[in-house]
């Protein structure tokens, strides 16, 4: 073999080893790649007791029960399945019934998912109070910032925003100029 053939052989073997290693790593992590599993996915998988994972969905209205010493039970649902969750600790401020939640859970022997961490999710219209106050002071606040987006409206909102509304200073300016002439 010439020097060039040996070099190409080594490069080819190295790439093959790297591809096999990447395939093994991705295969081992295939369940961990998803940020959270929905109740429907968990019901299909038949999770073994003690296996930790992230469970995400909506807190079912009417399911939140507060017990003694910060003990809380609630049901996480996704529309087609619901799972009971028990948690002991302080819940996030945004946690409430009907709100999105992601909990790090493990199934216990009684069929209840024991959570050791609960994260409340917020929708995409969330805006910190400081930012909203700054926008109001600068005059850039729109009343629809806190509203849920209407995806059925089409491009009507965009065309209305592009036209803009005349401001009071613009309409008052010609009157003042006419008064001074």
């Amino acid at each position: 073999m010439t020097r060039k053939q040996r070099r190409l052989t080594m490069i080819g073997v190295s790439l093959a080893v790297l591809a096999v290693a990447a395939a093994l790593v991705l295969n081992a992590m295939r369940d961990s790649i998803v940020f959270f599993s929905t109740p429907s996915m968990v019901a299909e998988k038949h999770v073994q007791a003690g296996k930790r994972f992230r469970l995400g969905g909506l807190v079912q209205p009417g399911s939140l029960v507060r017990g003694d010493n910060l003990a809380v039970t609630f049901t996480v649902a996704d529309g087609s399945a619901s799972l009971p969750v028990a948690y002991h600790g302080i819940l996030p401020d945004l946690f409430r019934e009907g709100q999105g939640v992601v909990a790090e859970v493990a199934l216990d022997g009684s069929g209840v998912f024991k959570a050791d961490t609960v994260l409340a999710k917020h929708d995409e219209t969330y805006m910190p109070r400081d930012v909203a106050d700054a926008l109001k002071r600068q005059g850039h606040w729109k009343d629809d910032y806190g509203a849920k987006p209407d995806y059925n409206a089409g491009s009507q909102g965009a065309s209305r925003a592009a036209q803009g509304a005349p401001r009071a200073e613009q309409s008052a300016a010609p009157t003042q100029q006419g008064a001074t002439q």
Side-chain angles (χ1 to χ4, degrees):
M1 280 175 110
T2 64
R3 183 181 256 176
K4 185 176 183 180
Q5 289 174 335
R6 277 186 278 160
R7 188 179 315 137
L8 288 175
T9 303
M10 286 299 287
I11 290 173
V13 169
S14 299
L15 289 175
V17 168
L18 184 63
V20 168
L24 287 174
V25 168
L26 289 175
N27 187 37
M29 293 178 22
R30 87 175 151 226
D31 287 338
S32 302
I33 291 174
V34 178
F35 181 68
F36 63 84
S37 299
T38 63
S40 298
M41 292 168 59
V42 173
E44 289 173 7
K45 288 183 187 177
H46 302 292
V47 176
Q48 298 173 357
K51 183 178 186 236
R52 289 179 42 83
F53 63 95
R54 289 184 177 202
L55 175 65
L58 296 176
V59 177
Q60 196 168 25
S63 69
L64 181 64
V65 178
R66 298 182 186 272
D68 296 335
N69 293 334
L70 301 176
V72 178
T73 59
F74 55 92
T75 303
V76 177
D78 66 352
S80 60
S82 60
L83 300 173
V85 177
Y87 177 67
H88 182 48
I90 299 174
L91 291 170
D93 291 339
L94 293 175
F95 183 89
R96 64 183 57 92
E97 293 178 343
Q99 186 71 25
V101 66
V102 175
E104 294 182 16
V105 299
L107 182 63
D108 69 359
S110 64
V112 176
F113 291 89
K114 298 285 186 185
D116 55 12
T117 304
V118 173
L119 306 170
K121 294 176 14 177
H122 59 78
D123 62 4
E124 67 278 356
T125 60
Y126 170 77
M127 185 177 303
R129 184 173 301 200
D130 297 340
V131 174
D133 291 343
L135 287 173
K136 287 178 183 177
R137 280 194 304 271
Q138 295 172 359
H140 296 293
W141 179 260
K142 295 179 185 172
D143 289 332
D144 62 348
Y145 277 146
K148 299 261 185 211
D150 184 14
Y151 296 110
N152 297 329
S155 62
Q156 293 172 356
S159 64
R160 194 170 45 232
Q163 293 171 356
R167 294 190 308 186
E169 298 89 26
Q170 292 173 345
S171 61
T175 307
Q176 291 174 352
Q177 288 174 354
T180 58
Q181 289 177 353

